[in-house]
Amino acid sequence: MEFRELIKYRESVRNYDSNKSIPQDVLNRILEAGRLAPSAANRQPWKFLVVTSAKMLEKVHECYAKDWFHAAPVILIVIGKREDAWTRRYDGYNSLETDLTIAMDHIILAAANEGVGSCWIAAFEPTVLRKALKLNADEIVFAITPLGYPDDSYQPGQAKNRKAISEIVEYL
Ligand SMILES: Cc1cc2nc3c(=O)[nH]c(=O)nc-3n(C[C@H](O)[C@H](O)[C@H](O)COP(=O)(O)O)c2cc1C
């Protein structure tokens, strides 16, 4: 899809067709977009956990109690370790959240480009998810998204509710 179209077309999808799985080649292209994302000092401090098995999906579903979240065939979880990310020596700023955000953004845009819906979710219960995934203490769950094809109830092209350019841009 043409870039400007993609940016306009991408929106959070909360209607998934539970009967339609994502072909592996499509999933691979989506994950490849995350792999190619930039990161501070090119540290690539991420791991992408792709939950597709019924057993793991059931466990992961407990972290976010929305029917539409439970309907998606794939849950993608971006995790990372702070020690793997770059740290600025002057003030200790660590780039983990920034790097993982960029990777997730690449992923959700690539998904939209494939016609695959996503919805960035931060309101999950971290302890429940950590337990389900058996994460080590140093592994940070940063963002999760369902991935799946929208169902028939999905109405694409909702008007984007955004601040005006004049409110957010300042030329100096
Ligand atoms: C950091 C972040 C966290 C979000 N967390 C949630 C969430 O927990 N649940 C949810 O339904 N949507 C969540 N969203 C989706 C936003 O509500 C959505 O992106 C925003 O309303 C703009 O709509 P759009 O994505 O359709 O353009 C989140 C988005 C971001 C970027």
Side-chain angles (χ1 to χ4, degrees):
M1 202 181 295
E2 196 272 327
F3 182 70
R4 281 174 305 172
E5 282 305 308
L6 177 64
I7 292 291
K8 267 204 271 180
Y9 167 83
R10 199 268 341 136
E11 58 191 16
S12 296
V13 173
R14 298 182 181 88
N15 321 62
Y16 294 97
D17 186 340
S18 55
N19 296 315
K20 204 167 168 199
S21 56
I22 304 174
Q24 191 61 49
D25 60 323
V26 173
L27 204 47
N28 289 348
R29 287 194 292 272
I30 294 170
L31 295 167
E32 177 70 356
R35 189 181 78 85
L36 293 179
S39 58
N42 201 20
R43 296 286 286 271
Q44 306 163 59
W46 44 60
K47 256 184 109 175
F48 309 139
L49 306 182
V50 186
V51 181
T52 56
S53 73
K55 189 176 156 208
M56 278 309 292
L57 280 170
E58 195 182 336
K59 287 185 185 177
V60 166
H61 286 161
E62 286 178 32
C63 80
Y64 193 66
K66 299 277 186 195
D67 289 347
W68 52 265
F69 178 66
H70 298 191
V74 176
I75 305 289
L76 184 98
I77 298 152
V78 176
I79 65 168
K81 294 183 188 175
R82 194 156 298 286
E83 71 196 35
D84 289 344
W86 175 78
T87 299
R88 188 163 55 205
R89 65 188 158 115
Y90 304 108
D91 59 1
Y93 157 75
N94 178 279
S95 67
L96 184 66
E97 285 86 349
T98 309
D99 295 336
L100 300 191
T101 298
I102 295 168
M104 185 59 129
D105 199 45
H106 271 51
I107 284 168
I108 66 175
L109 284 171
N113 192 46
E114 299 285 343
V116 171
S118 68
C119 181
W120 194 307
I121 293 173
F124 58 86
E125 268 192 70
T127 42
V128 174
L129 189 60
R130 297 187 66 81
K131 196 174 159 206
L133 298 170
K134 296 194 175 127
L135 294 182
N136 296 325
D138 61 346
E139 290 174 310
I140 296 173
V141 182
F142 184 64
I144 69 177
T145 180
L147 291 174
Y149 293 98
D151 70 11
D152 292 342
S153 68
Y154 175 60
Q155 293 182 322
Q158 301 298 310
K160 287 214 179 290
N161 177 15
R162 297 291 194 267
K163 293 178 183 175
I165 279 283
S166 58
E167 274 184 84
I168 58 172
V169 176
E170 191 178 340
Y171 288 91
L172 303 174

